[in-house]
Amino acid sequence: MEDSRIGLPIGTALDRFIKRFQDDFPYATGELSQLLRDIALAGKVVNREVNKAGLINLSGSIGADNIQGEDQQKLDVLANIRFIRAFTKGGEACAIISEEDENIIDLHNNGKYIIAIDPLDGSSNIDVNVSIGTIFSIYRRLSPVGSPVTSEDVLQPGINQVAAGYLLYGSSTILVYTTGNGVNGFTYDPTLGEYFLSHQDMTIPDLGKIYSINEAGSLDFPDPVNRYLQYCRENEHTARYIGSLVADFHRNLLKGGIYIYPSSPKYPQGKLRLMYECNALSFVVEQAGGKASTGNARIMEIVPADVHQRCPLYIGSRSMVEKAESFHQ
Ligand code: AHM
Ligand code: MG
């Protein structure tokens, strides 16, 4: 059995892995470790609710729209509550940006970290038993602890992330994250209530065959996107599109592929949100050897002007993203 980059074998429990990581950094105070544990624990609760959703009438809409004007699902709301409660109780985060909340949640405490989270992504798939996920980014605050949280603390570019990852509630539930030292995946064993290291030092194939895009929009796509799609069709690529970003991303991470959500007249800046969808997956993909771009620029270098800002996303295998970018030049 091969050891992971930090020297722990497949089957290692998440807690032990996190602790070992912390021990490797003599100045680590343990707060980031605790935040990761908070996320893992809230993920267990959401996993339980996702799994029993059909049984107890949790699926479906609550009839209210969230700030993006989208139909808010009951499980979206529940997941948001679960994660925010975990961060509030934990005390390590001082502010939270959530897809489900218009305003920044200022926790008015001495926490050192800022969290950006999409508590339950893939809302159109919640009701139909298709994989959905949670996406998170963690930043260190810039202003001194004890002073009010500033907009500079919150609006940091993706390159400042200290950790990021996702939970995928799929055929099994997996937590994949990076702290800037490679990417590791932990599969949840519901019988033991514990995550175990199942995917060590994940790397994305440099080239793959899969392209993932909602091709129904092609009449509205920018010309470079359509020319790249034509290239894919002519070069033995295959199309896979679940409509849950985390699920499409995870499959492409394992198998090699590219996910694209371009700009269009309906979504002039793309549909996906920079701070709690694109940046987190960009950090993961770069740590796995892949690439994330707007078509012209590195996602993680964008300095956000707004917490709910959107951006076009090209993400996945490095050579595929570079090929797609070449059509923009
Ligand atoms: P959501 O945050 O409302 O769930 O929207 C994000 C989702 C992504 O998971 C998915 O890749 C994309 O929207 C699908 O959009 P579309 O239905 O336009 O293809
Ligand atoms: Mg989302």
Side-chain angles (χ1 to χ4, degrees), residues 14-80:
L14 176 66
D15 249 19
R16 201 163 123 81
F17 188 95
I18 290 174
K19 173 141 194 345
R20 173 61 189 275
F21 168 80
Q22 190 187 316
D23 292 346
D24 279 355
F25 290 85
Y27 304 109
T29 55
E31 282 140 322
L32 180 58
S33 302
Q34 190 51 44
L35 253 183
L36 292 167
R37 289 192 190 98
D38 293 345
I39 290 169
L41 178 60
K44 288 184 196 179
V45 178
V46 172
N47 175 66
R48 188 189 63 194
E49 279 160 5
V50 165
N51 278 303
K52 68 180 186 191
L55 287 175
I56 55 167
N57 195 27
L58 280 172
S59 13
S61 163
I62 60 167
D65 284 357
N66 70 3
I67 48 109
Q68 323 285 344
E70 294 148 352
D71 199 18
Q72 216 176 16
Q73 305 289 320
K74 284 182 191 171
L75 269 176
D76 297 11
V77 178
L78 267 174
N80 196 37

Side-chain angles (χ1 to χ4, degrees), residues 66 68 70-71 76 99-100 118 120-125 135 213-214 241-246 248 259 261 266-267 271-273 276-277:
N66 70 3
Q68 323 285 344
E70 294 148 352
D71 199 18
D76 297 11
E99 172 165 355
E100 301 299 332
D118 185 348
L120 207 55
D121 183 65
S123 39
S124 67
N125 283 325
I135 312 174
I213 183 168
N214 188 343
Y241 190 71
I242 295 167
S244 282
L245 174 61
V246 172
D248 280 309
Y259 173 99
Y261 210 111
K266 185 177 176 193
Y267 296 116
K271 179 187 180 190
L272 300 175
R273 270 57 63 122
Y276 40 79
E277 291 175 329

Side-chain angles (χ1 to χ4, degrees), residues 58-136:
L58 280 172
S59 13
S61 163
I62 60 167
D65 284 357
N66 70 3
I67 48 109
Q68 323 285 344
E70 294 148 352
D71 199 18
Q72 216 176 16
Q73 305 289 320
K74 284 182 191 171
L75 269 176
D76 297 11
V77 178
L78 267 174
N80 196 37
I81 292 167
R82 298 293 181 241
F83 279 101
I84 288 173
R85 189 177 294 164
F87 299 136
T88 308
K89 283 190 176 165
E92 296 84 22
C94 58
I96 306 164
I97 301 153
S98 165
E99 172 165 355
E100 301 299 332
D101 290 284
E102 177 164 12
N103 298 317
I104 297 159
I105 302 167
D106 188 337
L107 298 175
H108 299 288
N109 62 12
N110 286 336
K112 286 185 188 155
Y113 293 95
I114 313 278
I115 315 274
I117 188 160
D118 185 348
L120 207 55
D121 183 65
S123 39
S124 67
N125 283 325
I126 292 175
D127 268 355
V128 291
N129 264 15
V130 175
S131 301
I132 44 185
T134 297
I135 312 174
F136 62 90

Side-chain angles (χ1 to χ4, degrees), residues 303-316:
V303 180
D306 181 276
V307 293
H308 297 295
Q309 177 173 333
R310 300 172 193 258
C311 70
L313 181 64
Y314 298 65
I315 191 166

Side-chain angles (χ1 to χ4, degrees), residues 158-159 274 279 282-283 286-287 291-303 311 318 325:
I159 46 171
L274 174 64
N279 269 337
S282 299
F283 192 19
E286 287 196 9
Q287 283 292 314
K291 191 165 182 178
S293 148
T294 61
N296 302 301
R298 186 181 175 204
I299 297 279
M300 289 211 290
E301 287 178 9
I302 300 171
V303 180
C311 70
R318 172 167 290 278
E325 284 176 323

